[in-house]
Amino acid sequence: HAVLTGAIVLELEHNVTVIRRELEFLDNHLSHYPAGFLQTLAEHFDGIRIGIVKALEGSAEAGSLDTLLSSLPNDITVWGGNLQHPSLSGFKAMDLLASEDYLWKNAGITAQCAVSLADSIWKDNRSGSSVLIIGWGRIGKQLARILDRMNCTVTIASQKEEHLSQAEYAGYKTIYTDQLCHCDLTFSVIFNTAPAVVIPEACASSFQSSLKIDLASCRGIEGPDVVWARGLPGTMMPEKSGALIASTILHALKEETL
């Protein structure tokens, strides 16, 4: 079994059941649990997943992690993403972000969430709409595939010639990111997946009529009318996201026993 901060995963015969349950192991929530709660969990489970989007550094967040780990035995396996924090050095750590299969499937869920989010805001008929996707990574490719199937006209923006060549070969229109602020193109929706400023606020007015959704860990589109949508799988499709985490962990555990 494995205890997750977002879900408890149980393997029942050949089926995986994901029960959504928030277990917030932060300092200001630990008092909500009875004495010995974490020790009791550790007696029944062999692993715990810590939801770390980025390596925790300094102050309260690091203290929260230290508090959690100090309550657990050293034979617990810690699962998560970007597990480089010094407090994890005494534990067996398994990084989900090291799994290409997980990364691609999570990108697919993120793309589905992003399109659903756009649908909830989109006022025009999306069929035939012109859509800009900034970035040609996992999420960008999944977004392009979904939107193309929805009969949208997809344009891919990147600064890498290799990425633009791949996108053009796949049948999409392309543009260099440094040309965006000087082009006369219009888009119904702009999705950003690049973790760096691509459309600064100074030229954001050029796309004032566009719905702008930023999916990157760092803002790539500046301006007050940008929808910053980090962590969509966990907020919009928690069951699907939890099931992916569960299947990735169980697959890794089975590989260890082979």
Side-chain angles (χ1 to χ4, degrees):
H1 299 100
V3 179
L4 310 185
T5 54
I8 293 181
V9 183
L10 304 174
E11 185 176 10
L12 304 176
E13 296 180 352
H14 299 292
N15 298 318
V16 176
T17 302
V18 179
I19 305 173
R20 180 73 178 169
R21 181 179 298 177
E22 294 300 334
L23 298 176
E24 299 289 347
F25 292 123
L26 300 178
D27 285 340
N28 58 340
H29 291 110
L30 286 174
S31 59
H32 295 182
Y33 299 101
F37 174 73
L38 293 179
Q39 288 82 351
T40 301
L41 283 180
E43 291 174 2
H44 295 88
F45 297 93
D46 304 315
I48 184 166
R49 187 182 79 86
I50 298 179
I52 304 176
V53 177
K54 59 182 179 179
L56 298 175
E57 296 293 343
S59 66
E61 287 187 329
S64 300
L65 182 60
D66 291 337
T67 300
L68 167 60
L69 296 178
S70 65
S71 303
L72 298 172
N74 290 332
D75 58 354
I76 285 288
T77 300
V78 178
W79 297 81
N82 291 331
L83 301 180
Q84 292 89 28
H85 195 274
S87 297
L88 297 170
S89 60
F91 295 87
K92 179 181 179 181
M94 306 292 284
D95 200 323
L96 292 170
L97 301 186
S99 168
E100 278 293 318
D101 183 64
Y102 171 81
L103 291 172
W104 274 104
K105 290 178 178 177
N106 189 62
I109 298 174
T110 301
Q112 292 174 37
C113 292
V115 173
S116 295
L117 178 61
D119 270 346
S120 68
I121 307 173
W122 223 328
K123 296 181 179 179
D124 301 323
N125 184 358
R126 66 191 182 190
S127 180
S129 295
S130 182
V131 179
L132 173 67
I133 300 172
I134 302 172
W136 186 243
R138 298 181 188 89
I139 297 175
K141 290 173 182 175
Q142 300 274 23
L143 270 173
R145 179 179 58 83
I146 294 172
L147 292 166
D148 184 59
R149 289 180 178 178
M150 293 166 56
N151 296 318
C152 294
T153 300
V154 178
T155 299
I156 304 299
S158 176
Q159 200 54 33
K160 294 184 178 180
E161 186 172 350
E162 178 185 359
H163 289 179
L164 295 182
S165 297
Q166 292 174 1
E168 189 173 348
Y169 181 77
Y172 306 118
K173 296 182 178 181
T174 60
I175 185 172
Y176 284 98
T177 52
D178 62 5
Q179 296 176 354
L180 286 174
C181 293
H182 310 289
C183 70
D184 57 357
L185 300 175
T186 58
F187 303 98
S188 297
V189 183
I190 299 175
F191 293 98
N192 177 60
T193 69
V197 176
V198 178
I199 301 179
E201 190 165 4
C203 75
S205 59
S206 302
F207 304 101
Q208 191 170 2
S209 62
S210 303
L211 169 60
K212 296 177 279 292
I213 298 178
D214 203 325
L215 305 170
S217 55
C218 299
R219 290 181 184 270
I221 308 175
E222 295 182 335
D225 60 342
V226 180
V227 179
W228 197 23
R230 292 182 59 189
L232 284 183
T235 57
M236 293 187 66
M237 296 185 178
E239 294 84 4
K240 199 167 187 177
S241 177
L244 173 58
I245 293 171
S247 63
T248 303
I249 291 175
L250 292 174
H251 180 71
L253 291 175
K254 287 176 182 178
E255 282 191 336
E256 282 188 346
T257 61
L258 295 179

